[in-house]
Amino acid sequence: MLRTHTCGDLRADHLDQSVAICGWVDKYRDHGGVVFVDLRDRYGITQVSFKLDNASEIQQQAQELRHEDVIQVTGTVLHRGEGNINPKLDTGEIEVLAKALTILNKSRTPPFEPNGESLPNEELRLQYRFIDLRRRELQENLRLRHQICKATREYFNEQEFLEIETPILGRSTPEGARDYLVPSRVHEGAFYALPQSPQLFKQILMVAGYDRYYQIARCFRDEDLRADRQPEFSQIDIEMAFIELDDMLGIIDGLVAAMVKEVRGEDVTLPLPRYTHAEVMEKYGSDKPDLRFDLPIVEISDLVADSDFGVFKNTVGSGGHVRGLCVKGAADKYSRRILDNDLKGLVGEYGAKGLAYFKVVGGKLESSIAKFFNDEQQTAIVERMQGEDGDLLVYIADNWKVSCAALAALRNFLGKDLELYDPKSMQTCWIVDFPLVTRNEEENRWDAEHHMFCSIHPDDVELMQTDPGKVRAQSYDLVCNGYEAASGSIRIHDPAVQQQVFDLLNIDPEEAERRFGFLLEALRYGAPPHGGIALGLDRWVMLFAGSDNIRDVIAFPKTQRASDLMLGAPNEVDARQLKDLHIKVELPES
RNA sequence: GGGGCCGUAGCUCAAUUGGUUAGAGUACCGGACUGUCGAUCCGGGGGUUGCGGGUUCAAGUCCCGUCGGCCUCGCCA
C-alpha cells in the first residue's frame, strides 16, 4: 500500500504517528522556508508542511508542486498548536510534517480547479469530466447514489427478491419512445433495439415463476433531453406475482422508508399518503404535484359566468374553466410588467392565452379588469379564494387541459420564487386511479395512459363498453417534490382481457401478435396475477442531493444534444465497419 | 420540429449602449518570504472577442448564417 491513511482520517489521536498519505495537490502556499500543501482525496483534505530546517531537499521539491499533482507523503502527525487550528477542515487540528515526498504523477496545469471559487461552464466540465468529478459535490452525489443502491439491494434481498438481469440487445417495438437501434452483422439488414425498460421481460419472469424480481436496470430512450432526463438512465425495476395493488404500494412504501433511513437517518411516516388522479388534477393541475407547499387551485367559473368580463364569460360559456390561485401576501411582490410579460409568458408556453390578476383590497378586487365585476361578484370571488387584503389572485381562463398545465407551471414557479418551502424537505405521495386511456383527438382514437398491459380497476369493468374514458386503471405513480419518481401498475394476466384492451386501443389481433406475440403467448401458458413498478434512480439521487439537474448525479452524463463531450460520442465510423453491417449513410442535404 | 438565454485571456467576468492600444481577479512563469490555510509582496507572459459573411469611416457591440452549451414547449406507451 502506498498509504497508511486517507486524507480524511487523521485526528489529534494520531499525534506523533508515522504515516503515509496520498492524494492530489489541492492548494499550495509557499512561504520560502516552509511550504504548506493541502492534500486532497475523496475522504478529505489534510495539510502537509515541508520545512527547510527539517529536510531541505524535499522542501525544495515541494516548492515545485502545482495544482493537481499526485503525490505520496510520509511524515509525522503533529498538532498544529493553538491559534493555527483550521476549523474549516475535519483534519484541521493536525498536519503531517513531511519526511519524504514522492511525486507519483505531475499534472498539466488543469483547465480549472476542482475546488475553485467559481464553477466553469458545463461544456468544459463535461469535456474534462475526470477533473469535474474530483469536486466535493459530485463525489458526495455519487456516494449518495451508491448508498441508495445499497439500501435498495439490502431491502429487496431481505424479502426474498431475486436480482435478475435482462438483455440490453432486444427487439424494437415501435411504441412510445424512439428506440436506439443496433445493427446486426450476422442478420443482414436487421436491428436490435436497446431497452426502453425491461417491462416485457419482467412480466415474462412472472410467468416463469420468479415471483419477486428486482433489477437496477439501464434504460435507453432516443428522445429530447431535459434537466431531469438523459437518453440513458437507471431505474430500480420491480415486479411481483400473486399480489394486489395495496401489496405493491406497501412494498414500495417500505423501500422509500429504507432509502430515507439510509441516507438521512430519518424515519418516514407510513403509509405514504395517496391521492387520486382526479383529486390532484383539480387541486394542483398536475399528476405530479409538488406538495412541499399548499397553494391550491380554486375554480370560480360559476361565479364569473355572468360577469361583464368577456374572456371569463365566453370561456365558461364554451365549456371552459376559470381557475386560479390565491397567493398570500403577494399583492405587491410582482410589478405589472412582470405579471404582464414574464408570468404571462410562462403560462403562454403551456397554451394559455392570457393571465388575469387582481389584488385583494378591502375585501374587493383591484386591477385594470376589476370594473367588469360587480360588488357581489367581487365579494364572492374573494370569499371563494379565501382572500385577504394584500393577497394576489391570478387566473387562467381556458379549456381543462390548458388550465391545468398553465396553473401547475405557475404554481411551481410561485412556490420556488416566493420560497414557500424548505428546499431540503421531501414530500412523497402516491397518485392512484389514473384513467386507463386518454382521447387522442388528432388521430381520433384512445391511447393508453400508462401502457397497454395495465389492468382495469375492478369497479370499472362495466364502463369499458359504455364510457372508456371514465375507466380507471390499476396504476400508480410515486411523486416526490413535483417529480414523477416511480410509475407502475397491476398488469393484465388474462389474454381475453388483454384483447379487450387491444380492441379499445384499435390494435387488431394480428398487429398485437406481430408486436407482442411473445408476451401474449407467455400469458396463455399460466400467467399468475402480477404487477410491478419502476423507480427512477437518477431522480431519487437528485431529490436526496437537493439538485435540480440529473447530470449532477450521473458520473458520465450526456449533453442536451445527447453527446458525450469527453469521449466525443457519437462519432462517425470507418467505411469498413459500415460495410460489414451493410449500412449506407445518407445525410440530408443542407 | 418550435421558443428563449449564452459564447471575450487557461478559468470567472468587464468593456460607459458603434469610437483610441479589449481590462480586472484568478491561474500560469520568474523573484522575495519559516506558520499559512482565498497566504502576502514585486515583476512578467498571455486575446483571430466560437466560426463565416454583411452593414459602417469605424463592429466584442448591429444584421444574417453556422457550430457549440444551457433552459423549455412538443416529444418522453
Side-chain angles (χ1 to χ4, degrees):
Chain A
M1 293 284 269
L2 297 179
R3 60 184 178 189
T4 59
H5 296 80
T6 72
C7 296
D9 283 340
L10 299 171
R11 297 289 186 279
D13 46 351
H14 296 90
L15 288 185
D16 300 323
Q17 287 186 21
S18 204
V19 299
I21 56 176
C22 294
W24 287 260
V25 173
D26 193 59
K27 294 268 165 53
Y28 57 92
R29 294 174 292 279
D30 182 356
H31 288 244
V34 59
V35 177
F36 298 104
V37 167
D38 292 339
L39 199 60
R40 183 195 72 232
D41 62 17
R42 77 177 171 94
Y43 307 93
I45 288 177
T46 297
Q47 174 169 286
V48 181
S49 60
F50 300 85
K51 285 189 180 177
L52 192 56
D53 53 13
N54 237 57
S56 65
E57 203 173 296
I58 66 163
Q59 185 270 352
Q60 279 164 24
Q61 245 186 310
Q63 289 185 312
E64 305 290 315
L65 292 173
R66 291 297 179 270
H67 291 105
E68 301 308 306
D69 288 345
V70 183
I71 63 172
Q72 177 200 40
V73 170
T74 56
T76 313
V77 181
L78 296 183
H79 196 274
R80 291 199 189 185
E82 297 306 321
N84 280 332
I85 290 171
N86 184 350
K88 290 182 196 165
L89 293 181
D90 291 337
T91 61
E93 210 177 337
I94 56 91
E95 67 179 359
V96 173
L97 178 62
K99 291 208 172 84
L101 165 66
T102 308
I103 297 176
L104 298 169
N105 211 339
K106 188 81 189 152
S107 173
R108 279 192 182 183
T109 300
F112 60 92
E113 288 166 50
N115 291 320
E117 299 147 50
S118 55
L119 217 50
N121 70 60
E122 287 242 25
E123 204 172 342
L124 199 73
R125 288 175 51 202
L126 291 171
Q127 192 185 340
Y128 292 92
R129 190 63 167 174
F130 40 86
I131 294 173
D132 199 31
L133 284 169
R134 291 176 190 164
R135 289 170 48 227
R136 182 70 60 225
E137 186 195 351
L138 291 191
Q139 294 189 330
E140 276 299 313
N141 289 352
L142 292 187
R143 196 179 58 85
L144 198 61
R145 190 181 178 106
H146 165 78
Q147 277 185 293
I148 291 168
C149 290
K150 177 170 164 275
T152 298
R153 290 202 164 96
E154 282 168 359
Y155 177 76
F156 287 124
N157 293 348
E158 275 167 22
Q159 302 187 59
E160 295 299 323
F161 279 75
L162 297 182
E163 182 172 6
I164 302 174
E165 292 158 283
T166 54
I168 293 295
L169 294 177
R171 178 194 163 89
S172 178
T173 53
E175 273 301 310
R178 273 180 278 259
D179 288 322
Y180 277 101
L181 297 177
V182 179
S184 162
R185 178 182 55 81
V186 178
H187 299 269
E188 300 178 1
F191 295 81
Y192 300 98
L194 305 184
Q196 295 178 24
S197 93
Q199 180 63 35
L200 302 173
F201 289 110
K202 65 175 174 175
Q203 286 194 244
I204 285 172
L205 284 171
M206 294 306 110
V207 179
Y210 299 85
D211 62 338
R212 289 183 161 218
Y213 144 93
Y214 82 95
Q215 178 184 196
I216 298 179
R218 192 63 66 89
C219 306
F220 306 84
R221 291 179 192 175
D222 188 5
E223 294 294 343
D224 287 351
L225 283 77
R226 288 285 190 286
D228 65 343
R229 217 196 280 166
Q230 283 271 310
E232 60 176 301
F233 59 97
S234 300
Q235 63 185 37
I236 301 170
D237 199 46
I238 297 139
E239 195 80 9
M240 298 168 74
F242 306 117
I243 52 136
E244 293 173 313
L245 188 143
D246 280 341
D247 304 316
M248 190 75 235
L249 269 49
I251 289 276
I252 302 304
D253 275 357
L255 173 64
V256 171
M259 292 193 304
V260 172
K261 187 76 181 174
E262 169 74 22
V263 174
R264 298 196 167 178
E266 293 165 12
D267 292 309
V268 177
T269 309
L270 297 182
L272 294 168
R274 298 180 194 181
Y275 304 98
T276 67
H277 180 262
E279 205 175 343
V280 291
M281 290 309 286
E282 183 161 337
K283 202 168 171 190
Y284 304 110
S286 169
D287 58 5
K288 44 185 189 211
D290 190 340
L291 297 184
R292 287 174 296 180
F293 58 102
D294 195 26
L295 196 59
I297 295 172
V298 179
E299 175 138 16
I300 58 164
S301 302
D302 56 312
L303 302 180
V304 298
D306 297 326
S307 73
D308 294 330
F309 188 51
V311 175
F312 282 8
K313 192 178 168 181
N314 297 339
T315 298
V316 178
S318 58
H321 300 259
V322 179
R323 301 197 294 163
L325 306 169
C326 175
V327 195
K328 287 288 158 199
D332 299 317
K333 286 273 186 190
Y334 299 105
S335 68
R336 252 184 98 149
R337 220 185 98 248
I338 290 177
L339 286 159
D340 287 336
N341 295 337
D342 300 7
L343 296 189
K344 192 185 162 190
L346 172 73
V347 297
E349 284 177 38
Y350 298 84
K353 290 177 281 296
L355 178 70
Y357 54 88
F358 309 92
K359 291 175 185 181
V360 180
V361 179
K364 292 281 189 291
L365 303 179
E366 193 178 288
S367 89
S368 58
I369 55 167
K371 62 190 172 206
F372 297 115
F373 304 89
N374 63 36
D375 274 10
E376 206 178 309
Q377 288 164 337
Q378 293 198 10
T379 309
I381 291 170
V382 172
E383 200 176 307
R384 173 76 57 83
M385 303 302 295
Q386 299 184 6
E388 295 166 312
D389 284 10
D391 292 352
L392 173 69
L393 307 179
V394 288
Y395 295 95
I396 301 286
D398 219 303
N399 65 47
W400 180 253
K401 215 176 150 186
V402 169
S403 116
C404 282
L407 284 166
L410 190 57
R411 180 175 173 275
N412 282 339
F413 169 82
L414 292 168
K416 188 171 186 183
D417 196 53
L418 298 170
E419 298 176 349
L420 299 180
Y421 55 85
D422 173 2
K424 284 188 198 144
S425 67
M426 288 172 80
Q427 288 296 327
T428 311
C429 70
W430 288 103
I431 311 297
V432 296
D433 291 351
F434 281 79
L436 182 72
V437 290
T438 48
R439 192 71 194 164
N440 183 333
E441 294 297 349
E442 283 158 30
E443 315 235 348
N444 192 34
R445 61 181 159 93
W446 295 102
D447 282 343
E449 170 82 17
H450 181 57
H451 59 56
M452 58 189 74
F453 313 110
C454 185
S455 69
I456 300 161
H457 194 290
D459 297 346
D460 294 354
V461 177
E462 310 286 304
L463 288 169
M464 278 294 280
Q465 307 304 326
T466 56
D467 194 354
K470 287 228 168 70
V471 174
R472 287 166 296 171
Q474 290 204 73
S475 68
Y476 31 80
D477 276 7
L478 191 59
V479 169
C480 182
N481 295 3
Y483 288 95
E484 182 192 307
S487 183
S489 64
I490 300 299
R491 326 295 184 190
I492 298 168
H493 64 281
D494 179 345
V497 177
Q498 184 66 68
Q499 190 54 52
Q500 222 186 333
V501 172
F502 283 152
D503 289 345
L504 179 62
L505 297 174
N506 217 2
I507 299 171
D508 65 51
E510 280 170 31
E511 191 187 351
E513 208 62 44
R514 188 163 44 78
R515 278 155 59 174
F516 313 109
F518 56 99
L519 178 65
L520 299 178
E521 186 70 354
L523 293 180
R524 294 180 191 118
Y525 285 87
H530 64 286
I533 192 166
L535 288 78
L537 174 63
D538 314 278
R539 284 187 188 164
W540 276 99
V541 183
M542 235 173 97
L543 288 161
F544 277 114
S547 167
D548 56 9
N549 199 300
I550 201 165
R551 291 186 300 273
D552 289 344
V553 299
I554 295 176
F556 302 102
K558 294 188 171 51
T559 69
Q560 211 257 359
R561 292 188 64 238
S563 45
D564 184 318
L565 298 180
M566 187 180 69
L567 299 178
N571 59 321
E572 291 177 6
V573 297
D574 292 347
R576 172 77 184 266
Q577 286 176 284
L578 291 177
K579 202 181 165 200
D580 278 353
L581 297 167
H582 313 288
I583 286 179
K584 189 178 161 193
V585 176
E586 224 174 291
L587 296 173
E589 292 176 27
S590 49

